[in-house]
Amino acid sequence: MANANSIKQITVVGSGAMGSQIAMVSALAGYQVYLQDISEESLKKAEDFLHMQLDKRVAKGKLTQEVVDSAFSRLQFVTSLQEAVESTDFVIEAIVEKLDAKREVFSQIDKLAPAHAIIATNSSTIVSSQIADATNRPSQVCNMHFFNPVLVMELVEVVKGPHTSEETAEIAVDLVKKINRVPILLKKEISGFVANRMLGKLTQEAIFLLENEIATVEEIDLACTKALNHPIGPFALMDLTGIDVSYYIGMQRYKESGDEKDKPAKVIEEKFLKGEYGRKTGKGFYTYS
Ligand SMILES: NC(=O)c1ccc[n+]([C@@H]2O[C@H](COP(=O)([O-])OP(=O)(O)OC[C@H]3O[C@@H](n4cnc5c(N)ncnc54)[C@H](O)[C@@H]3O)[C@@H](O)[C@H]2O)c1
């Protein structure tokens, strides 16, 4: 494929929280889109969720009913991977975060999709060099990392692995612009990519300041919102994404590195053990009614 202008059809594999919204932003941008999942239930949930989200935008006057109807008319929900990829130009994989499952699905896509098609993974933690050799087209494989909720968040990190061709990286970057998102290109693979690495450091420092009794949760969050102009502080954000998620990420990092420093911080472990996961349990760093 010479450039992103030749992309007519996009396939998103995995219709969960991320895949459903990636498919919708692609359809809203005018592409023919296949959203594929092995679970009928997940596809149905994705369709209902997207209708609910877009209805809200129509009610608020952000989108017209015509634009939404036209996007849905370009979006097919299917369980057959063959149907989803046999005439595709670009595949974005957004299935469960398991290396074996991703390698298996990449290998199947490679067998079924046209030779020119690019295959990208939306993985948050797995760099595409761990998957590319499951295909016969490693130069056409890269990471394309969206942020949740995709309908709102603009940034997409495109990551060029050692196997990824310049052309593939360029096309992926162009495609991000065409679906009305803002790309950044990482020239080399690095775990966590850019945004989450920086967030990790900020969060680590916030916890250090709290555990050393320099300032309270509220005050540290205020420093971020009122001095750094962040829309939300790190503690409020952990409550939103789930303290259990922070705990599991830390444990996974520790398992991989064996470095005590990577273990979840004491305050995270305490909250995790008490079941205080944040908004979803009504209590985390803050209390929610
Ligand atoms: N949730 C986030 O905030 C976030 C942010 C950025 C990136 N990601 C990444 O996006 C990917 C998906 O995350 P999610 O939160 O949408 O997960 P999710 O659990 O909401 O959805 C995963 C979907 O994949 C489907 N699936 C599983 N195996 C499949 C297969 N072999 N073929 C087709 N479909 C299959 C499941 O049925 C499910 O519908 C992960 O790699 C994750 O790391 C997630």
Side-chain angles (χ1 to χ4, degrees):
M1 190 173 10
N3 58 56
N5 292 335
S6 25
I7 299 172
K8 303 282 178 266
Q9 189 180 309
I10 296 176
T11 301
V12 181
V13 178
S15 68
M18 297 300 287
S20 56
Q21 297 185 62
I22 297 170
M24 181 44 81
V25 295
S26 306
L28 282 168
Y31 289 100
Q32 291 296 330
V33 181
Y34 277 89
L35 178 58
Q36 188 272 350
D37 203 291
I38 46 173
S39 152
E40 290 264 9
E41 194 192 330
S42 176
L43 285 169
K44 178 80 184 78
K45 253 173 74 183
E47 194 169 357
D48 292 348
F49 170 78
L50 290 174
H51 274 292
M52 192 184 75
Q53 290 295 320
L54 292 165
D55 285 352
K56 274 196 226 161
R57 283 164 174 76
V58 171
K60 284 186 189 157
K62 288 184 176 169
L63 289 173
T64 65
Q65 192 62 51
E66 266 173 298
V67 164
V68 170
D69 290 346
S70 144
F72 273 108
S73 76
R74 285 187 292 274
L75 177 52
Q76 315 290 322
F77 297 82
V78 299
T79 50
S80 158
L81 187 64
Q82 170 152 6
E83 187 185 352
V85 302
E86 66 191 355
S87 53
T88 196
D89 301 304
F90 202 106
V91 182
I92 303 168
E93 169 275 312
I95 70 165
V96 280
E97 188 69 347
K98 287 190 185 144
L99 180 59
D100 289 350
K102 289 194 190 285
R103 286 182 62 88
E104 175 57 32
V105 103
F106 264 68
S107 151
Q108 287 174 24
I109 295 166
D110 183 46
K111 291 189 185 95
L112 298 168
H116 70 270
I118 288 174
I119 320 174
T121 175
N122 177 50
S123 172
S124 307
T125 59
I126 302 169
V127 287
S128 77
S129 57
Q130 292 185 41
I131 310 175
D133 66 340
T135 75
N136 289 311
R137 62 180 93 192
S139 68
Q140 288 158 245
V141 173
C142 66
N143 287 82
M144 209 165 163
H145 181 231
F146 291 76
F147 290 80
N148 195 14
V150 180
L151 288 168
V152 179
M153 304 300 272
E154 287 180 288
L155 194 80
V156 180
E157 297 172 322
V158 174
V159 188
K160 186 179 177 299
H163 52 280
T164 312
S165 70
E166 289 288 345
E167 189 179 286
T168 296
E170 262 170 42
I171 294 171
V173 163
D174 277 352
L175 180 63
V176 171
K177 293 180 194 159
K178 285 179 186 290
I179 58 173
N180 303 307
R181 292 292 171 277
V182 177
I184 61 169
L185 174 64
L186 280 67
K187 281 107 194 144
K188 289 183 208 166
E189 290 184 338
I190 185 163
S191 78
F193 313 136
V194 169
N196 285 340
R197 284 182 78 87
M198 293 196 296
L199 177 63
K201 291 282 187 240
L202 179 82
T203 307
Q204 215 178 15
E205 186 60 32
I207 289 170
F208 170 85
L209 294 168
L210 178 71
E211 287 187 340
N212 284 279
E213 297 171 14
I214 310 289
T216 63
V217 162
E218 290 80 2
E219 287 167 332
I220 297 165
D221 274 356
L222 277 173
C224 290
T225 55
K226 301 298 176 193
L228 306 180
N229 236 357
H230 292 183
I232 185 171
F235 293 111
L237 184 59
M238 276 189 276
D239 274 3
L240 194 67
T241 52
I243 291 167
D244 52 330
V245 176
S246 305
Y247 177 80
Y248 289 128
I249 291 174
M251 286 308 282
Q252 179 60 27
R253 264 201 214 120
Y254 172 59
K255 220 173 88 188
E256 278 167 23
S257 71
D259 188 340
E260 290 284 325
K261 283 206 297 285
D262 287 335
K263 261 191 174 166
K266 226 172 107 219
V267 60
I268 300 288
E269 191 179 6
E270 279 166 14
K271 297 239 169 252
F272 176 79
L273 292 175
K274 279 197 240 163
E276 294 176 1
Y277 296 168
R279 278 179 189 263
K280 63 177 116 176
T281 59
K283 190 167 168 35
F285 289 105
Y286 297 88
T287 303
Y288 303 88
S289 55

